[in-house]
Structure formats: C-alpha cells, structure tokens
C-alpha cells in the first residue's frame, strides 16, 4: 500500500509546523472573542502537539512512508525533523533553560518528586500483568501466543520503553527474543498510547490549579523555585543585542557540539565495557550506557548546570530561556507529526492492552499524589520521566515554567538507570499472568 503523504520535502513540512506554531501563538495572544475562552480549556502546548498530528492523520505529512514505483518497487521514505529536533534542538533548549537554574531550590523540591517518579515506575511494573489478566477475560487471543510470538515477550519492550527509553526497549527485545517481524505492532502501541497520555497530561496543565486544590497539594517549593528564577530574570533583564543573541547561540550549540562529541566517545566505550560483562542479566541492565542519546542529554545538562554557576547565567536577562522554549515547541510539533490518529483502529486489541496498562499507571499516580498531597507538577513529570523519557519529560516540566525543565531531565536519567531491571520484573509478572 502506497502511504506517501502530500508533502515529503522536510523543508516544506517544517514550514507547515512553524505556520501551525505561529497560528497557535497568535491566537493565544488575542484577548477578545473565541480564542481566550478556548485556551482556558486547551493549553497552547497541547495544540502544538495536536495540529501536526491532524496534518499527519489527513495525509498532508508523515514521519515515514512507503512509495510504490511504476515498476512495483517499494521505496521507504522518512522525515528527519524529529531526529534533528531531538538531537540538536532538545539539548540546546535544555542548556538555555538550565542557565538560570537555582540548583539548591531544585533540591528543595524535596522527596515528593522522587516518590511520584517511583510510583510511576511501579504503576508500569504492575500495570502490564494486570492489563494482560483483564484483556484475557474478553480476548484471550490478544495476549496469547507461544515461543517467540508470545505477546508478553513483545509487551516486555513496552515496559522497557515506558520505564526507561529506547535503549531499555531494545535491551528487552534482546533479552526475551520477541519475533522481530511482529515488533512493529509493539512500537506502534508505544507511540499511540504514550503520546495520547502525554496529550492528556498537557491538557491537565491548563487545569493544574484546580487539580492541585483537589489534591490539597503544597506547591510552595515549586513556586519558590519559579519566583527565584523570575526575580533573577527581571534583575538582569535587558533588550538583547545581536551580540547577546550570537553568544546565546554559541553557548547552546557549542554545548550541544561538546555533548555529541563526548557521546560519540563514551557510548562505544561503555558499549564495549557492558558487552564484556559475563552475566546476561547484568549486561542488559546497563545497556543504556551504550546509548548516544543518553550521554548526549546527560552531558548537555551537566555542562548547563556548571554554566549556571558562572556569568553565563546572566544571559537569561537577554532571553535565553525564551529561545529554549522556541526549540521545545518545535520538538513538540515534530513529536505530534509522528501520530496518525486513524491507526488507532488498526490494532484495537493491543491498543486496549496499552490503554488499560497506562490507566493503571495513571490511577496509581493520582492515588499516591492524593495521599502525600503532591502537586500536579510532580505527578505529570514523574509520569513522563518514565513513559516519555528524556525527550518528553522536559517538555512537560517546562510547560509549568522553563526553569523546571531540568527537573524533568534529572528524573528521566533515573528512568534510564532503573529501566531495564524494573522492566524485567514487569515481564516476569506478565509471563505469569499469561500462563494463568
């Protein structure tokens, strides 16, 4: 089947995404009429995600596609916009948003942030087997299969992805030997369910005051961090000159360059170290250390934190975090274009497993947040640090305030560290659930 979208040139597609973002910001700035009422319900960040998703659903653009030539040859095509956004713009955004961070205030956020993160992890670990048990009542064939085709083996890759990230997902594929010809269906469930959940979290951000009131949450530590950064920003605020803009670009992309250079060295080095570990279980637990993306994000964040102790932080006054926010919105739009809403109906059974699984994760987070009176910020970021990893946790965190993006990254790094071992625990439970 030919799935070629109307526009395949990335230059044109990028223009569409920027026009969508421009439309969102323009309408969000209007003070009268329909739009102010609309954006009170639906946050602009959600629209930045959803409009590109609609473009993809309508066949205007696509993240990847297959074209059939007149000779009958099938040629695959792919957009590079998400790759560029996640590898270049995301680390640059993290640098610019972290320059003015008050590290002491971040640590003052306290234990609730970690509790919500690990609650999210537990929600994924127990959610998988419970989803299998529930779906097996109505559709046992959906969660059945034997040998390499056993569905629980495929779902193990979701556990790896939803607790850690891509490296953990690949590790689970290797550990449990799922039939790779069926792996595409699991990747699809990952994209659909995780992205729909992120969309719901973004909508919740617009309602955060009501949610926090219901949770009886103490938001003082978050507000303190936001106020410290805002006060500092006002103190050093100035009309940016061309020199300021060029230095901000140099700081951002110079750091990205160093992060990529270091990742190109460290990832292969640790990949060799890990490959020499004799224990298969231990080896796969540390697979994430061979991920260039992990090292690139980690090093960019570390350099940015170090820069926050220098005069470089004064560039916040020239709008450093605003430039970072531009990059984040472009990343959100490129994530949105990966979502084709019509494909949800192509594999309803597995999607149902994913939805039940994510619902258990969400319910547990809400339950614990209510008990410990954790703010919605900790719930949303704790969830995305698991499910979305370093690519989307900063997006959700920065939607609350640019200065909070670093919190998302730090928690996502925890996800990489515990991802594989927690996913193995989840998979053991899913195998038992499938056998029952």
């Amino acid at each position: 089947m030919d799935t070629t979208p109307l526009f395949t040139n990335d230059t044109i597609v990028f223009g569409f995404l920027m026009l969508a973002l421009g439309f969102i910001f323009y309408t969000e700035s209007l003070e009268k009429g329909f739009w102010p009422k609309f954006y009170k319900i639906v946050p602009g960040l959600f629209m930045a995600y959803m409009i590109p998703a609609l473009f993809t659903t309508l066949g205007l653009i696509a993240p990847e596609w297959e074209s059939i030539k007149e000779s009958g040859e099938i040629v695959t095509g792919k957009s590079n916009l998400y790759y560029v956004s996640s590898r270049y713009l995301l680390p640059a955004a993290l640098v610019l948003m972290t320059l003015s961070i008050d590290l002491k205030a971040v640590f003052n956020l306290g234990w609730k942030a970690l509790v919500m993160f690990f609650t999210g992890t537990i929600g994924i670990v127990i959610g998988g087997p419970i989803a299998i048990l529930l779906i097996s009542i109505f559709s046992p064939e959906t969660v059945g299969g034997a040998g390499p085709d056993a569905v629980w083996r495929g779902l193990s890759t979701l556990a790896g992805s939803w607790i850690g990230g891509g490296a953990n997902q690949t590790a689970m594929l290797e550990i449990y030997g799922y039939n790779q010809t069926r792996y595409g269906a699991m990747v699809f469930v990952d994209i659909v369910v995780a992205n729909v959940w992120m969309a719901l979290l973004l909508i919740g951000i617009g309602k955060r005051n009501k949610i926090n009131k219901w949770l009886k949450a103490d938001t003082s530590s978050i507000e303190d961090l936001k106020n410290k950064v805002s006060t500092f920003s006002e103190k050093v605020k100035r009309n940016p000159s061309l020199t300021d803009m060029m230095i901000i670009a140099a700081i951002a992309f110079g750091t990205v360059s160093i992060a990529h250079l270091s990742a190109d060295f460290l990832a292969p080095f640790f990949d060799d170290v890990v490959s020499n570990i004799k224990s298969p279980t231990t080896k796969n637990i540390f697979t994430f250390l061979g991920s260039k993306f992990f090292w690139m994000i980690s090093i960019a964040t570390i350099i940015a934190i170090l820069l926050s102790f220098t005069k470089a932080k004064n560039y916040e006054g020239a709008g450093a975090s605003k430039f970072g926010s531009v990059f984040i919105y472009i990343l959100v739009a490129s994530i949105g274009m990966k979502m084709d809403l019509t494909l949800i109906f192509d594999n309803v059974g597995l999607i149902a497993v994913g939805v039940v699984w994510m619902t258990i994760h969400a319910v547990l987070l809400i339950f614990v947040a209510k008990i410990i009176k954790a703010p919605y910020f900790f719930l949303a970021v704790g969830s995305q640090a698991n499910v979305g990893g370093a690519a989307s946790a900063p997006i959700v965190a920065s939607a609350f305030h640019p200065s909070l993006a670093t919190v998302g990254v730090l928690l996502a790094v925890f996800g990489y560290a515990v991802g594989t071992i927690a996913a193995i625990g989840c998979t053991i439970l899913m195998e038992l659930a499938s056998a029952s």
Side-chain angles (χ1 to χ4, degrees):
M1 180 180 173
D2 195 314
T3 57
T4 309
L6 187 61
F7 302 105
T8 57
N9 185 323
D10 271 347
T11 309
I12 298 170
V13 176
F14 181 68
F16 268 93
L17 298 185
M18 292 308 297
L19 284 170
L21 292 176
F23 170 78
I24 292 163
F25 274 83
Y26 172 71
T27 52
E28 201 173 15
S29 70
L30 298 176
E31 297 177 357
K32 295 181 180 179
F34 165 76
W35 292 110
K37 297 173 185 175
F38 177 79
Y39 285 110
K40 277 186 179 179
I41 302 169
V42 181
L45 193 62
F46 172 77
M47 292 301 294
Y49 170 86
M50 190 51 64
I51 291 178
L54 291 174
F55 287 164
T56 298
T57 302
L58 293 171
L60 298 176
I61 61 177
E64 51 190 39
W65 59 88
E66 289 185 348
S67 301
I68 302 176
K69 291 187 174 182
E70 290 182 5
S71 61
E73 181 188 358
I74 297 175
V75 180
T76 58
K78 185 177 182 180
S79 169
N80 287 314
L81 290 181
Y82 173 73
Y83 181 85
V84 172
S85 299
S86 61
R87 267 58 178 183
Y88 303 117
L89 299 187
L90 173 60
L94 294 176
V95 172
L96 296 178
M97 288 174 162
T98 304
L99 276 183
S100 60
I101 195 69
D102 186 323
L103 204 59
K104 184 180 177 182
V106 169
F107 289 124
N108 284 343
L109 290 176
W111 55 273
K112 289 182 182 179
L114 285 175
V115 168
M116 293 310 295
F117 167 78
F118 285 112
T119 297
T121 303
I122 292 168
I124 297 297
V125 171
I126 66 172
I130 294 173
I132 287 176
L133 289 172
L134 291 175
I135 297 298
S136 66
I137 297 171
F138 306 101
S139 179
E141 67 278 2
T142 300
V143 291
D149 293 333
V151 172
W152 64 265
R153 294 181 189 275
L155 294 176
S156 72
T157 65
L158 287 186
S161 176
W162 289 351
I163 299 172
N168 308 83
Q169 185 177 28
T170 304
M172 298 306 290
L173 182 64
E174 291 295 323
I175 293 170
Y176 289 101
Y178 184 59
N179 185 343
Q180 295 200 14
T181 60
R182 295 171 177 260
Y183 179 49
M186 295 299 169
V187 173
F188 171 69
V189 174
D190 181 10
I191 292 170
V192 170
V193 177
N195 285 355
V196 168
W197 174 235
M198 186 173 84
L200 292 174
L201 288 174
L202 293 177
I203 291 174
I205 291 171
K207 307 280 187 183
R208 62 184 179 272
N209 291 333
K210 289 182 179 178
I211 295 172
N212 284 332
K213 188 176 180 181
W214 179 76
L215 292 170
K216 296 180 181 177
D218 177 10
T219 60
S220 58
S221 59
I222 297 170
E223 293 303 319
D224 182 50
L225 174 56
K226 287 163 61 175
N227 290 335
K228 279 188 176 181
V229 173
S230 297
T231 301
F232 174 76
S233 181
E234 283 298 316
K235 181 182 172 184
V236 296
K237 190 174 182 180
R238 62 184 185 273
N239 187 27
S241 64
L242 178 59
T243 300
D244 286 331
M245 292 181 185
M246 292 305 294
I247 292 175
I248 286 171
I251 290 171
F253 291 103
T255 301
V256 172
S257 173
I258 294 169
H260 275 269
L261 179 65
S262 303
D264 286 344
F265 169 76
L266 290 171
F269 172 77
F270 279 100
D271 198 36
D272 287 341
V273 171
V274 172
S275 65
N276 290 323
I277 296 174
K278 292 182 179 180
S279 168
T281 304
T282 306
K283 182 189 295 185
N284 284 296
I285 286 171
F286 292 103
T287 300
F288 74 93
L289 292 174
S291 165
K292 287 185 179 181
F293 185 76
F294 166 78
W295 286 111
M296 181 263 294
I297 291 295
S298 300
I299 291 165
T301 305
I302 290 167
I303 292 173
I305 290 171
L306 293 175
L307 287 172
S308 73
F309 292 99
T310 71
K311 288 184 179 180
K313 72 185 300 179
N314 291 331
Y315 283 99
E316 172 58 25
S321 65
K322 289 185 176 67
F323 285 108
S325 295
V326 170
F327 298 155
I328 286 289
Y329 270 90
I330 294 171
L331 173 63
V332 172
S334 70
I335 292 174
M337 73 175 284
K338 293 169 69 178
M339 184 73 174
D340 184 344
L341 300 172
T342 60
L343 296 178
I344 292 173
F345 304 104
D346 283 5
N347 205 329
V348 177
L350 283 177
I351 293 291
V353 174
V355 168
V356 172
W357 193 344
M358 198 61 68
T359 301
I360 293 163
H361 165 78
V363 168
L364 186 62
L365 279 168
I366 294 167
F367 176 73
V368 173
K370 182 73 173 172
I371 290 174
I372 68 173
K373 299 179 181 179
Y376 179 66
F377 170 75
F378 291 152
L379 186 157
V381 177
S383 173
Q384 276 304 292
N386 280 284
V387 178
S392 60
I395 293 172
V396 173
S398 64
F400 290 85
H401 192 272
S403 65
L404 296 169
T406 312
V407 180
V409 178
L410 294 175
L411 288 176
V413 170
F414 275 115
Y416 279 118
V418 304
T420 303
I421 192 164
I424 289 171
C426 176
T427 306
I428 291 168
L429 295 174
M430 288 194 291
E431 183 179 6
L432 293 171
S434 297
S436 62

